[in-house]
Amino acid sequence: MNEEANDPHAHRAGAAPAALETTVNVLMDGVCADLKRLAAIPSIAFPGFSPEPVLQTRDLLVALLRDAGVADIGELNLPDTAPVITASLPPPTPDAPTVLLYGHYDVQPPGDERLWDSPPFEPTDVDGGIRARGIADDKANLMVHIATLRAYGGRPPVGIKIVFEGQEEYGSAFEGYPPTEPDLFACDAMIIADTGNIRPGTPTLTTALRGAAEVFVEVRTLNAAVHSGEYGGAAPDALLVLLKALATLHDLHGDVAVADLRREPWHGTDLTDDDFRELAGIPHGTPLLGSGDLGERLWSGPAITVIGLDAPPVDRAASAVVPFARAKLNLRVHPRQDPQEAQTALVRHLQRLRPFGIPLTVTPGEVGPGYEAATDGPAYRAARTALRRAWGTEPVHAATGGSIPLVNGLAKAVPDAEILLFGAEDNLCGLHGPNERVLLSELRGALLAEAAFLAEYAATYRAGDAP
């Protein structure tokens, strides 16, 4: 039996606005309890980890959806991919819109557990929140979706489609699947709940994602290492050659110096230098790289990071000229730049170099497109109203340098749907790092915002504001 559907606190479309706040407040204890149940399961979908916790999490989510009033629940099983939970509720009236709710139930590995203040899969109450691996990214957002359905007693004012992915963190065949079955994902708007607020208490719509590309560059100069005392000074050092090449990627300010990489002013909400230092853990006195606004450096311009280097480690270094060196570069690009085009520009830049007269071997790797949302439709208008109501302050637009590959697949599958990215995370939540946590204030705000959005969107859609 669906208890929420008979809950006297469940909100009904058209009820007074204060009733929704009351409903959310009543639901919070149960939401937190179920969130802890989810976060206690180590649902890591990486190779080398047991698949059983992933399947256990799937089963719990299916049970929670059923309890929230969802009867039509299915599953996608793609090759080498954790199950994708699908579900739906029909629109209450023929003229009501349909909203797709997305989240993922897999989590990152915990990393070095010695860096955690409590075991990563033992959800622990902390000041104002709950700490556990995956509790912010992305299990809190799954509970926001489920609790939104509870808030309406299983009968929301819009049609609902649900997509809960089980292998987002590692990647899977699902990323490119939506365009092959567009009817499964057909909707008027989507809430991609895998983001959150730029800072706690600041309601944030993420409207752009940078694209990404990988490039490998390597140098081989000798058949083998040779004595640096006898041969150093004339024998070509592969590591010196590589370092000289890498130094050309940025100018003296730290701005990317590769031609044909798109950079434009950022017109959304920006971070302050102090915000960024706190988020990134940069000590005061250490200068930031680049020039211009932080939004331009982080979101609407390129970034090149050396994320890996093959060279002799210092603690085992011999007095020898290095014969081989290799680096892996991560390139982040403007949301509207073709990542293949950007990758080609970086490869071309490196291939033209001849440090000390020595050519480089440059190999392109994987690419992932960025995304930029249109923000002038009825769903965005409704979302801004809902976020303002939930947090009591004007929402802001921000972006992220990270990518969510499925967003592009969904955009191709349903090109006319508005895509909204918001949720219960915040930039200080520690996702992917030790001591990840979610704040109860952010969890409540995201729940109230999503529930209010469904009501506002249904009302404005029926009012004729839909495209």
Side-chain angles (χ1 to χ4, degrees):
M1 179 179 178
N2 172 25
E3 296 178 0
E4 292 294 344
N6 298 296
D7 188 340
H9 297 292
H11 183 75
R12 296 291 178 266
L20 187 55
E21 278 86 344
T22 300
T23 298
V24 167
N25 290 339
V26 169
L27 289 173
M28 280 298 294
D29 284 348
V31 170
C32 291
D34 287 332
L35 176 56
K36 288 180 178 180
R37 292 170 65 197
L38 282 171
I41 307 173
S43 51
I44 304 167
F46 281 62
F49 290 87
S50 171
E52 291 307 314
V54 176
L55 300 179
Q56 183 184 353
T57 307
R58 173 206 57 189
D59 294 344
L60 177 53
L61 285 169
V62 168
L64 291 172
L65 285 169
R66 285 203 181 104
D67 187 62
V70 183
D72 183 10
I73 302 175
E75 184 172 291
L76 285 175
N77 287 287
L78 304 177
D80 302 314
T81 300
V84 179
I85 301 168
T86 60
S88 63
L89 289 167
T93 61
D95 62 342
T98 293
V99 177
L100 184 150
L101 307 178
Y102 167 85
H104 66 86
Y105 62 90
D106 62 310
V107 303
Q108 281 281 325
D112 186 349
E113 296 192 23
R114 294 172 299 179
L115 300 177
W116 286 75
D117 294 336
S118 55
F121 294 105
E122 292 182 13
T124 302
D125 292 331
V126 296
D127 186 21
I130 307 169
R131 179 172 59 234
R133 166 54 85 228
I135 199 158
D137 182 19
D138 189 42
K139 291 177 177 177
N141 284 320
L142 294 174
M143 282 310 306
V144 166
H145 291 328
I146 291 167
T148 296
L149 301 180
R150 292 177 182 176
Y152 285 102
R155 295 188 291 275
V158 300
I160 293 291
K161 289 190 176 182
I162 286 170
V163 176
F164 290 172
E165 183 181 2
Q167 198 170 309
E168 189 272 348
E169 297 291 3
Y170 182 71
S172 75
F174 185 56
E175 293 174 3
Y177 180 81
T180 70
E181 294 287 345
D183 290 345
L184 183 63
F185 305 93
C187 61
D188 300 289
M190 307 179 194
I191 299 177
I192 308 298
D194 194 12
T195 60
N197 288 344
I198 193 170
R199 62 181 67 84
T202 301
T204 304
L205 287 163
T206 298
T207 58
L209 306 169
R210 276 202 294 200
E214 293 179 344
V215 172
F216 299 86
V217 54
E218 61 184 70
V219 183
R220 185 173 294 280
T221 56
L222 301 167
N223 293 330
V226 296
H227 194 293
S228 59
E230 294 188 23
Y231 298 98
D237 183 327
L239 185 53
L240 281 178
V241 173
L242 180 60
L243 293 175
K244 190 170 181 64
L246 297 179
T248 70
L249 300 177
H250 297 83
D251 65 17
L252 58 87
H253 301 293
D255 292 310
V256 171
V258 175
D260 300 321
L261 296 181
R262 187 168 179 174
R263 175 170 173 164
E264 295 175 350
W266 171 251
H267 296 297
T269 298
D270 214 342
L271 293 168
T272 67
D273 282 6
D274 286 342
D275 286 337
F276 186 70
R277 286 181 186 281
E278 182 178 8
L279 292 173
I282 302 168
H284 283 278
T286 301
L288 306 183
L289 293 183
S291 61
D293 293 338
L294 273 172
E296 188 173 327
R297 283 179 271 170
L298 296 171
W299 302 326
S300 61
I304 300 174
T305 305
V306 181
I307 62 171
L309 189 67
D310 290 337
V314 171
D315 59 0
R316 287 186 281 133
S319 297
V321 180
V322 175
F324 172 80
R326 181 174 68 151
K328 182 178 181 180
L329 308 181
N330 179 259
L331 169 64
R332 299 287 172 159
V333 301
H334 188 288
R336 291 197 304 273
Q337 182 162 28
D338 180 346
Q340 190 76 56
E341 173 189 85
Q343 183 187 59
T344 298
L346 178 54
V347 169
R348 183 170 57 243
H349 174 97
L350 291 166
Q351 286 178 334
R352 287 174 175 171
L353 299 176
R354 293 292 187 273
F356 309 116
I358 296 168
L360 310 171
T361 299
V362 187
T363 306
E366 295 184 355
V367 299
Y371 175 76
E372 187 168 48
T375 61
D376 56 353
Y380 264 89
R381 290 196 291 274
R384 284 189 285 267
T385 298
L387 267 68
R388 186 185 309 114
R389 174 176 170 183
W391 272 280
T393 188
E394 197 67 28
V396 302
H397 288 188
T400 177
S403 57
I404 305 175
L406 184 66
V407 169
N408 295 281
L410 289 169
K412 289 178 182 177
V414 196
D416 293 331
E418 293 182 72
I419 299 180
L420 307 162
L421 289 92
F422 66 91
E425 301 169 19
D426 67 83
N427 276 0
L428 295 174
C429 70
L431 73 167
H432 293 210
N435 297 316
E436 179 181 350
R437 60 97 182 108
V438 66
L439 294 176
L440 301 186
S441 59
E442 296 296 287
L443 180 62
R444 179 192 178 277
L447 169 53
L448 179 55
E450 185 166 308
F453 166 77
L454 297 189
E456 181 71 18
Y457 187 44
T460 55
Y461 196 96
R462 282 199 279 273
D465 286 343

PDB file of all heavy atoms in Angstrom, residues 3 9 58 80 114 124-125 141 143 152 164 185 193 268 272 306 317 319 408 447 462 465:
ATOM      1  N   GLU A   3       1.569   4.470   1.369  1.00  0.00           N
ATOM      2  CA  GLU A   3       1.163   5.293   2.503  1.00  0.00           C
ATOM      3  C   GLU A   3       1.174   6.765   2.166  1.00  0.00           C
ATOM      4  O   GLU A   3       0.336   7.533   2.628  1.00  0.00           O
ATOM      5  CB  GLU A   3       2.079   5.006   3.690  1.00  0.00           C
ATOM      6  CG  GLU A   3       1.964   3.568   4.190  1.00  0.00           C
ATOM      7  CD  GLU A   3       2.909   3.291   5.336  1.00  0.00           C
ATOM      8  OE1 GLU A   3       3.632   4.221   5.724  1.00  0.00           O
ATOM      9  OE2 GLU A   3       2.921   2.166   5.840  1.00  0.00           O
ATOM     10  N   HIS A   9      -0.636  14.942   4.951  1.00  0.00           N
ATOM     11  CA  HIS A   9       0.267  16.059   4.724  1.00  0.00           C
ATOM     12  C   HIS A   9       0.637  16.207   3.249  1.00  0.00           C
ATOM     13  O   HIS A   9       1.270  17.188   2.871  1.00  0.00           O
ATOM     14  CB  HIS A   9       1.545  15.873   5.542  1.00  0.00           C
ATOM     15  CG  HIS A   9       1.298  15.863   7.017  1.00  0.00           C
ATOM     16  ND1 HIS A   9       0.893  16.966   7.709  1.00  0.00           N
ATOM     17  CD2 HIS A   9       1.387  14.846   7.922  1.00  0.00           C
ATOM     18  CE1 HIS A   9       0.753  16.657   8.998  1.00  0.00           C
ATOM     19  NE2 HIS A   9       1.045  15.382   9.147  1.00  0.00           N
ATOM     20  N   ARG A  58      19.819  -0.478  -6.528  1.00  0.00           N
ATOM     21  CA  ARG A  58      18.705  -0.477  -7.485  1.00  0.00           C
ATOM     22  C   ARG A  58      17.430  -0.992  -6.839  1.00  0.00           C
ATOM     23  O   ARG A  58      16.353  -0.391  -6.965  1.00  0.00           O
ATOM     24  CB  ARG A  58      19.067  -1.345  -8.686  1.00  0.00           C
ATOM     25  CG  ARG A  58      17.894  -1.532  -9.665  1.00  0.00           C
ATOM     26  CD  ARG A  58      17.997  -2.812 -10.453  1.00  0.00           C
ATOM     27  NE  ARG A  58      18.075  -3.994  -9.583  1.00  0.00           N
ATOM     28  CZ  ARG A  58      18.349  -5.211 -10.031  1.00  0.00           C
ATOM     29  NH1 ARG A  58      18.563  -5.406 -11.329  1.00  0.00           N
ATOM     30  NH2 ARG A  58      18.410  -6.237  -9.196  1.00  0.00           N
ATOM     31  N   ASP A  80      27.559  -4.353 -20.609  1.00  0.00           N
ATOM     32  CA  ASP A  80      28.584  -3.876 -19.673  1.00  0.00           C
ATOM     33  C   ASP A  80      28.152  -2.615 -18.935  1.00  0.00           C
ATOM     34  O   ASP A  80      28.957  -1.715 -18.663  1.00  0.00           O
ATOM     35  CB  ASP A  80      29.905  -3.616 -20.423  1.00  0.00           C
ATOM     36  CG  ASP A  80      30.411  -4.858 -21.131  1.00  0.00           C
ATOM     37  OD1 ASP A  80      30.418  -5.926 -20.502  1.00  0.00           O
ATOM     38  OD2 ASP A  80      30.793  -4.750 -22.306  1.00  0.00           O
ATOM     39  N   ARG A 114      41.770   6.546   5.177  1.00  0.00           N
ATOM     40  CA  ARG A 114      42.419   7.186   6.323  1.00  0.00           C
ATOM     41  C   ARG A 114      42.163   8.687   6.349  1.00  0.00           C
ATOM     42  O   ARG A 114      42.335   9.342   7.398  1.00  0.00           O
ATOM     43  CB  ARG A 114      43.924   6.919   6.281  1.00  0.00           C
ATOM     44  CG  ARG A 114      44.300   5.440   6.467  1.00  0.00           C
ATOM     45  CD  ARG A 114      45.774   5.216   6.224  1.00  0.00           C
ATOM     46  NE  ARG A 114      46.159   5.568   4.859  1.00  0.00           N
ATOM     47  CZ  ARG A 114      47.397   5.487   4.379  1.00  0.00           C
ATOM     48  NH1 ARG A 114      48.385   5.085   5.161  1.00  0.00           N
ATOM     49  NH2 ARG A 114      47.649   5.829   3.128  1.00  0.00           N
ATOM     50  N   THR A 124      27.040   9.482   8.699  1.00  0.00           N
ATOM     51  CA  THR A 124      27.317  10.071  10.015  1.00  0.00           C
ATOM     52  C   THR A 124      26.773  11.494  10.062  1.00  0.00           C
ATOM     53  O   THR A 124      27.026  12.303   9.156  1.00  0.00           O
ATOM     54  CB  THR A 124      28.837  10.090  10.272  1.00  0.00           C
ATOM     55  OG1 THR A 124      29.344   8.749  10.198  1.00  0.00           O
ATOM     56  CG2 THR A 124      29.153  10.683  11.622  1.00  0.00           C
ATOM     57  N   ASP A 125      26.027  11.800  11.125  1.00  0.00           N
ATOM     58  CA  ASP A 125      25.528  13.166  11.299  1.00  0.00           C
ATOM     59  C   ASP A 125      26.700  14.102  11.590  1.00  0.00           C
ATOM     60  O   ASP A 125      27.554  13.801  12.435  1.00  0.00           O
ATOM     61  CB  ASP A 125      24.530  13.222  12.446  1.00  0.00           C
ATOM     62  CG  ASP A 125      23.229  12.487  12.132  1.00  0.00           C
ATOM     63  OD1 ASP A 125      22.857  12.411  10.954  1.00  0.00           O
ATOM     64  OD2 ASP A 125      22.593  11.978  13.085  1.00  0.00           O
ATOM     65  N   ASN A 141      20.180  13.761  -4.379  1.00  0.00           N
ATOM     66  CA  ASN A 141      19.323  14.202  -5.474  1.00  0.00           C
ATOM     67  C   ASN A 141      18.297  13.145  -5.856  1.00  0.00           C
ATOM     68  O   ASN A 141      17.176  13.471  -6.274  1.00  0.00           O
ATOM     69  CB  ASN A 141      20.184  14.576  -6.676  1.00  0.00           C
ATOM     70  CG  ASN A 141      20.870  15.914  -6.482  1.00  0.00           C
ATOM     71  OD1 ASN A 141      20.282  16.844  -5.954  1.00  0.00           O
ATOM     72  ND2 ASN A 141      22.121  16.016  -6.894  1.00  0.00           N
ATOM     73  N   MET A 143      16.891  11.203  -3.683  1.00  0.00           N
ATOM     74  CA  MET A 143      15.859  11.342  -2.656  1.00  0.00           C
ATOM     75  C   MET A 143      15.020  12.596  -2.871  1.00  0.00           C
ATOM     76  O   MET A 143      13.839  12.614  -2.513  1.00  0.00           O
ATOM     77  CB  MET A 143      16.494  11.356  -1.269  1.00  0.00           C
ATOM     78  CG  MET A 143      16.896   9.985  -0.742  1.00  0.00           C
ATOM     79  SD  MET A 143      15.597   8.725  -0.845  1.00  0.00           S
ATOM     80  CE  MET A 143      14.226   9.523  -0.002  1.00  0.00           C
ATOM     81  N   TYR A 152       3.461  15.022  -3.262  1.00  0.00           N
ATOM     82  CA  TYR A 152       2.199  15.088  -4.002  1.00  0.00           C
ATOM     83  C   TYR A 152       1.372  13.816  -3.841  1.00  0.00           C
ATOM     84  O   TYR A 152       0.435  13.586  -4.611  1.00  0.00           O
ATOM     85  CB  TYR A 152       2.468  15.364  -5.481  1.00  0.00           C
ATOM     86  CG  TYR A 152       2.856  16.791  -5.749  1.00  0.00           C
ATOM     87  CD1 TYR A 152       4.193  17.138  -5.961  1.00  0.00           C
ATOM     88  CD2 TYR A 152       1.902  17.804  -5.750  1.00  0.00           C
ATOM     89  CE1 TYR A 152       4.558  18.460  -6.193  1.00  0.00           C
ATOM     90  CE2 TYR A 152       2.256  19.126  -5.979  1.00  0.00           C
ATOM     91  CZ  TYR A 152       3.587  19.446  -6.200  1.00  0.00           C
ATOM     92  OH  TYR A 152       3.935  20.746  -6.426  1.00  0.00           O
ATOM     93  N   PHE A 164      16.965   6.721 -13.563  1.00  0.00           N
ATOM     94  CA  PHE A 164      17.992   6.619 -12.526  1.00  0.00           C
ATOM     95  C   PHE A 164      19.099   5.712 -13.057  1.00  0.00           C
ATOM     96  O   PHE A 164      18.915   4.500 -13.193  1.00  0.00           O
ATOM     97  CB  PHE A 164      17.419   6.047 -11.232  1.00  0.00           C
ATOM     98  CG  PHE A 164      16.481   6.962 -10.487  1.00  0.00           C
ATOM     99  CD1 PHE A 164      15.764   6.498  -9.390  1.00  0.00           C
ATOM    100  CD2 PHE A 164      16.311   8.290 -10.861  1.00  0.00           C
ATOM    101  CE1 PHE A 164      14.912   7.327  -8.688  1.00  0.00           C
ATOM    102  CE2 PHE A 164      15.438   9.130 -10.163  1.00  0.00           C
ATOM    103  CZ  PHE A 164      14.741   8.647  -9.071  1.00  0.00           C
ATOM    104  N   PHE A 185      12.291   8.821 -23.811  1.00  0.00           N
ATOM    105  CA  PHE A 185      12.728   9.998 -23.058  1.00  0.00           C
ATOM    106  C   PHE A 185      11.912  11.246 -23.404  1.00  0.00           C
ATOM    107  O   PHE A 185      12.222  12.343 -22.928  1.00  0.00           O
ATOM    108  CB  PHE A 185      14.208  10.260 -23.319  1.00  0.00           C
ATOM    109  CG  PHE A 185      15.080   9.068 -23.014  1.00  0.00           C
ATOM    110  CD1 PHE A 185      15.416   8.161 -24.011  1.00  0.00           C
ATOM    111  CD2 PHE A 185      15.530   8.830 -21.729  1.00  0.00           C
ATOM    112  CE1 PHE A 185      16.196   7.046 -23.733  1.00  0.00           C
ATOM    113  CE2 PHE A 185      16.308   7.721 -21.434  1.00  0.00           C
ATOM    114  CZ  PHE A 185      16.640   6.820 -22.439  1.00  0.00           C
ATOM    115  N   ALA A 193      19.405  16.208 -11.995  1.00  0.00           N
ATOM    116  CA  ALA A 193      19.802  16.490 -10.610  1.00  0.00           C
ATOM    117  C   ALA A 193      21.152  15.840 -10.330  1.00  0.00           C
ATOM    118  O   ALA A 193      21.248  14.818  -9.659  1.00  0.00           O
ATOM    119  CB  ALA A 193      18.740  15.987  -9.644  1.00  0.00           C
ATOM    120  N   GLY A 268      27.178  35.137 -16.595  1.00  0.00           N
ATOM    121  CA  GLY A 268      26.398  34.688 -15.451  1.00  0.00           C
ATOM    122  C   GLY A 268      27.021  35.131 -14.145  1.00  0.00           C
ATOM    123  O   GLY A 268      27.886  36.024 -14.105  1.00  0.00           O
ATOM    124  N   THR A 272      34.033  34.846  -6.460  1.00  0.00           N
ATOM    125  CA  THR A 272      35.089  35.744  -6.033  1.00  0.00           C
ATOM    126  C   THR A 272      36.380  34.934  -5.882  1.00  0.00           C
ATOM    127  O   THR A 272      36.356  33.701  -5.777  1.00  0.00           O
ATOM    128  CB  THR A 272      34.758  36.402  -4.686  1.00  0.00           C
ATOM    129  OG1 THR A 272      34.753  35.393  -3.669  1.00  0.00           O
ATOM    130  CG2 THR A 272      33.395  37.088  -4.737  1.00  0.00           C
ATOM    131  N   VAL A 306      47.978  19.348 -17.159  1.00  0.00           N
ATOM    132  CA  VAL A 306      48.806  18.149 -17.269  1.00  0.00           C
ATOM    133  C   VAL A 306      48.373  17.215 -16.148  1.00  0.00           C
ATOM    134  O   VAL A 306      48.666  17.454 -14.979  1.00  0.00           O
ATOM    135  CB  VAL A 306      50.308  18.490 -17.152  1.00  0.00           C
ATOM    136  CG1 VAL A 306      51.144  17.216 -17.305  1.00  0.00           C
ATOM    137  CG2 VAL A 306      50.709  19.525 -18.197  1.00  0.00           C
ATOM    138  N   ALA A 317      65.398   8.013  -8.915  1.00  0.00           N
ATOM    139  CA  ALA A 317      66.097   8.619 -10.058  1.00  0.00           C
ATOM    140  C   ALA A 317      67.577   8.243 -10.052  1.00  0.00           C
ATOM    141  O   ALA A 317      68.246   8.291  -9.020  1.00  0.00           O
ATOM    142  CB  ALA A 317      65.943  10.133 -10.008  1.00  0.00           C
ATOM    143  N   SER A 319      71.455   8.977 -11.971  1.00  0.00           N
ATOM    144  CA  SER A 319      72.183  10.072 -12.627  1.00  0.00           C
ATOM    145  C   SER A 319      72.332   9.723 -14.103  1.00  0.00           C
ATOM    146  O   SER A 319      73.382   9.275 -14.558  1.00  0.00           O
ATOM    147  CB  SER A 319      73.552  10.264 -11.964  1.00  0.00           C
ATOM    148  OG  SER A 319      73.393  10.638 -10.619  1.00  0.00           O
ATOM    149  N   ASN A 408      24.074  15.592 -23.245  1.00  0.00           N
ATOM    150  CA  ASN A 408      24.090  15.756 -24.695  1.00  0.00           C
ATOM    151  C   ASN A 408      23.264  14.686 -25.394  1.00  0.00           C
ATOM    152  O   ASN A 408      22.581  14.959 -26.380  1.00  0.00           O
ATOM    153  CB  ASN A 408      25.535  15.734 -25.203  1.00  0.00           C
ATOM    154  CG  ASN A 408      26.321  16.907 -24.689  1.00  0.00           C
ATOM    155  OD1 ASN A 408      26.203  18.007 -25.199  1.00  0.00           O
ATOM    156  ND2 ASN A 408      27.114  16.687 -23.654  1.00  0.00           N
ATOM    157  N   LEU A 447      14.455  19.984  -2.395  1.00  0.00           N
ATOM    158  CA  LEU A 447      13.156  19.309  -2.399  1.00  0.00           C
ATOM    159  C   LEU A 447      12.016  20.310  -2.577  1.00  0.00           C
ATOM    160  O   LEU A 447      11.122  20.115  -3.412  1.00  0.00           O
ATOM    161  CB  LEU A 447      12.992  18.519  -1.105  1.00  0.00           C
ATOM    162  CG  LEU A 447      11.611  17.942  -0.798  1.00  0.00           C
ATOM    163  CD1 LEU A 447      11.089  17.109  -1.949  1.00  0.00           C
ATOM    164  CD2 LEU A 447      11.658  17.131   0.497  1.00  0.00           C
ATOM    165  N   ARG A 462      -0.275  25.256 -18.645  1.00  0.00           N
ATOM    166  CA  ARG A 462      -1.698  25.280 -18.976  1.00  0.00           C
ATOM    167  C   ARG A 462      -2.173  26.686 -19.326  1.00  0.00           C
ATOM    168  O   ARG A 462      -3.155  26.869 -20.024  1.00  0.00           O
ATOM    169  CB  ARG A 462      -2.506  24.721 -17.807  1.00  0.00           C
ATOM    170  CG  ARG A 462      -2.462  23.203 -17.738  1.00  0.00           C
ATOM    171  CD  ARG A 462      -3.617  22.667 -16.897  1.00  0.00           C
ATOM    172  NE  ARG A 462      -3.351  22.733 -15.486  1.00  0.00           N
ATOM    173  CZ  ARG A 462      -2.712  21.772 -14.803  1.00  0.00           C
ATOM    174  NH1 ARG A 462      -2.279  20.704 -15.430  1.00  0.00           N
ATOM    175  NH2 ARG A 462      -2.522  21.883 -13.520  1.00  0.00           N
ATOM    176  N   ASP A 465       1.819  29.283 -21.901  1.00  0.00           N
ATOM    177  CA  ASP A 465       3.174  29.772 -22.075  1.00  0.00           C
ATOM    178  C   ASP A 465       4.101  28.754 -22.724  1.00  0.00           C
ATOM    179  O   ASP A 465       5.260  29.047 -22.993  1.00  0.00           O
ATOM    180  CB  ASP A 465       3.787  30.157 -20.719  1.00  0.00           C
ATOM    181  CG  ASP A 465       3.187  31.463 -20.215  1.00  0.00           C
ATOM    182  OD1 ASP A 465       2.589  32.159 -21.044  1.00  0.00           O
ATOM    183  OD2 ASP A 465       3.339  31.753 -19.017  1.00  0.00           O
TER     184      ASP A 465
END
